[in-house]
Amino acid sequence: MITNSIAISFSILVGLILLLPRTRLSTQWRATVTPLASIIGSGFLIVAPLLHSVMGKWALLGIVMLSFVAYLIGAIIRFNIIHAEPLLENKTSYHIVQLEKASQWTLGAAFAISVAFYISLFTAFVFDRAGISDPIQIKVFTTMLLGLIMLIAWLRGARGLETIELYAVSIKLAIIIGVVAALATYDWQVGSAWFEHNAIKPLSKFETLSMLAGMLMVTQGFETTRFMGERYSAQQRVMAGKYAQWIAIALYIVFIGLTCPIFLDFPITTLNETTISKTLGQAIWVLPTLLLIAATTSQLSAALADTIGGGGLLKELINLPVSVRGYYMLIVSIAGILVWTSNVFEIINLASKGFALYYLIQTLIAIIIMRKYVQHQRFHTLKIVGLAVMMLLLTFVIGWSVPAPHS
């Protein structure tokens, strides 16, 4: 009983703190909210069952590895904010301009895949709580919800989107911290062993790494800082990316660590979209309700943001005499096709490949800048070698990542 009270109390307390005017009206916090909304919207509801089902007692190591790679990619994006954007604005380098355009095409496609993921996950949580399991009903409802997302984007565009994200992130962060506090209390009360649970099935090291690579999508979102230049300075965006990644990484690592005893007490037998809700609910009954609230706020706002962002990006790239609303329809249509042809775990893997391709091109841009325009930094050669290694890692994600085993 005490764990339920702790979850609710911490969620309310943190929510009130985050919604205080001093926090809510801070320029730097508002800048941080956009990438943070995308990162925790991408992964929090799905990352624990994914890692525990694939890596078992090594799940904590898995999230540390994913977070480390994601932070290095984030550093590349922040490098390009400072060094690539002036070159792009002045069109100083033809090769960088063309690579940037190619990367934006891949990002537009990745946005469409993300929308399918966000809405599919949200629908799965809603129907699970309603006790409905018919896949056709779920897909029809998901399609209708995509239509609603398109309508909101059509009518409002980006107006008020930052405010929606601000409240959505505040609610979800509050719930996450409430969940973490309740899990810490449960682990302390029960005293179960740590790091002794097994994966769903034995996997080779290569299979495990391929599935871990397919989870890259759960850490994405920091790249949104590249497209916030109209509202925030380069330095504000750099710091926003750092703050967002620091917060998300800390929450992910603590959350995965605290769920280790629960997945030992309540092992995963089959992996599906709502495994986290069902597993945590066996230990602390209020958590599924809190997670449903988190899904409602974060997944819908993230889907709306990516629909608007992807539509605006495609309009700039295609440059036809078509309203941006037509491109919203294109993003939602692609997402709808994915909803009917793929499951959530296949969509996660596909999104990981899409974002990996975007990051790969951004890394190549960084290498060109390092070689031609920024030649006097400390550890210059070592940094170029590190960028080359990152390109190899991202190539592995694109070519060899696979979905986690699921029901």
Side-chain angles (χ1 to χ4, degrees):
M1 188 65 178
I2 190 174
T3 51
N4 297 299
S5 301
I6 286 174
I8 294 170
S9 301
F10 268 80
S11 297
I12 293 172
L13 177 62
V14 174
L16 291 173
I17 293 171
L18 291 175
L19 294 175
L20 286 172
R22 184 175 179 179
T23 308
R24 182 164 42 86
L25 300 178
S26 164
T27 301
Q28 188 62 66
W29 175 243
R30 294 181 78 91
T32 303
V33 156
T34 297
L36 184 59
S38 190
I39 297 171
I40 63 176
S42 299
F44 184 77
L45 295 173
I46 201 76
V47 66
L50 274 176
L51 284 167
H52 286 293
S53 65
V54 170
M55 301 189 71
K57 61 187 176 184
W58 299 104
L60 186 59
L61 175 62
I63 193 60
V64 169
M65 292 170 63
L66 278 175
S67 298
F68 179 70
V69 171
Y71 193 78
L72 292 180
I73 297 170
I76 293 169
I77 298 297
R78 291 187 284 277
F79 176 87
N80 286 349
I81 288 175
I82 299 297
H83 297 284
E85 288 185 2
L87 297 175
L88 291 167
E89 187 175 346
N90 299 324
K91 297 185 178 178
T92 304
S93 169
Y94 172 81
H95 297 296
I96 291 176
V97 170
Q98 295 305 309
L99 284 171
E100 179 68 16
K101 188 173 290 187
S103 75
Q104 290 182 353
W105 276 106
T106 65
L107 188 61
F111 275 147
I113 301 168
S114 294
V115 172
F117 164 68
Y118 292 137
I119 297 301
S120 296
L121 190 58
F122 166 74
T123 307
F125 269 80
V126 172
F127 274 72
D128 178 68
R129 296 301 291 166
I132 299 172
S133 58
D134 180 25
I136 300 299
Q137 289 185 39
I138 294 173
K139 289 182 184 294
V140 169
F141 181 80
T142 305
T143 306
M144 293 170 62
L145 202 54
L146 283 169
L148 178 61
I149 291 291
M150 186 184 71
L151 180 63
I152 295 171
W154 186 292
L155 294 175
R156 290 190 59 84
R159 284 178 300 156
L161 180 59
E162 189 181 81
T163 302
I164 293 172
E165 287 180 338
L166 179 68
Y167 283 96
V169 167
S170 298
I171 292 169
K172 187 163 186 178
L173 274 178
I175 289 174
I176 289 172
I177 293 172
V179 169
V180 165
L183 288 174
T185 305
Y186 173 86
D187 292 345
W188 175 70
Q189 285 182 326
V190 175
S192 297
W194 292 62
F195 312 120
E196 292 189 7
H197 58 297
N198 297 316
I200 287 181
K201 64 177 184 179
L203 299 169
S204 68
K205 288 183 174 63
F206 183 80
E207 287 175 322
T208 301
L209 287 174
S210 297
M211 291 178 187
L212 187 64
M215 301 176 203
L216 180 66
M217 190 260 181
V218 303
T219 63
Q220 65 81 211
F222 46 84
E223 71 285 340
T224 55
T225 51
R226 279 294 311 275
F227 307 100
M228 293 162 53
E230 290 184 4
R231 291 171 291 166
Y232 303 102
S233 68
Q235 191 57 38
Q236 284 176 322
R237 288 182 288 138
V238 166
M239 294 311 299
K242 285 184 179 180
Y243 291 150
Q245 286 198 285
W246 290 344
I247 294 168
I249 288 170
L251 290 173
Y252 276 162
I253 290 175
V254 171
F255 180 63
I256 295 299
L258 291 175
T259 51
C260 285
I262 287 185
F263 282 100
L264 175 65
D265 295 341
F266 306 100
I268 301 174
T269 52
T270 57
L271 177 65
N272 58 45
E273 298 92 328
T274 57
T275 295
I276 187 65
S277 179
K278 293 173 181 174
T279 303
L280 296 188
Q282 292 179 77
I284 307 167
W285 65 261
V286 76
L287 294 191
T289 302
L290 291 178
L291 291 173
L292 177 61
I293 297 170
T296 303
T297 55
S298 65
Q299 304 306 107
L300 292 180
S301 64
L304 179 60
D306 279 7
T307 300
I308 293 169
L313 196 59
L314 290 179
K315 178 171 174 56
E316 287 183 16
L317 291 169
I318 298 174
N319 200 26
L320 290 175
V322 177
S323 165
V324 69
R325 293 167 176 171
Y327 296 100
Y328 295 158
M329 291 179 64
L330 177 59
I331 292 289
V332 170
S333 298
I334 295 170
I337 292 170
L338 287 171
V339 165
W340 282 92
T341 57
S342 309
N343 62 52
V344 165
F345 299 98
E346 291 166 342
I347 292 172
I348 290 172
N349 181 234
L350 191 59
S352 294
K353 292 176 184 290
F355 282 106
L357 182 56
Y358 171 75
Y359 298 146
L360 179 68
I361 300 173
Q362 288 295 311
T363 305
L364 182 57
I365 290 172
I367 288 176
I368 293 171
I369 292 172
M370 287 285 290
R371 293 191 62 187
K372 288 189 174 182
Y373 301 98
V374 187
Q375 298 176 342
H376 303 293
Q377 284 193 344
R378 294 178 63 189
F379 310 112
H380 181 263
T381 302
L382 187 61
K383 288 179 181 179
I384 290 179
V385 171
L387 291 169
V389 172
M390 180 60 71
M391 289 187 69
L392 291 176
L393 288 174
L394 292 169
T395 301
F396 180 82
V397 175
I398 296 165
W400 288 275
S401 65
V402 294
H406 51 273
S407 58

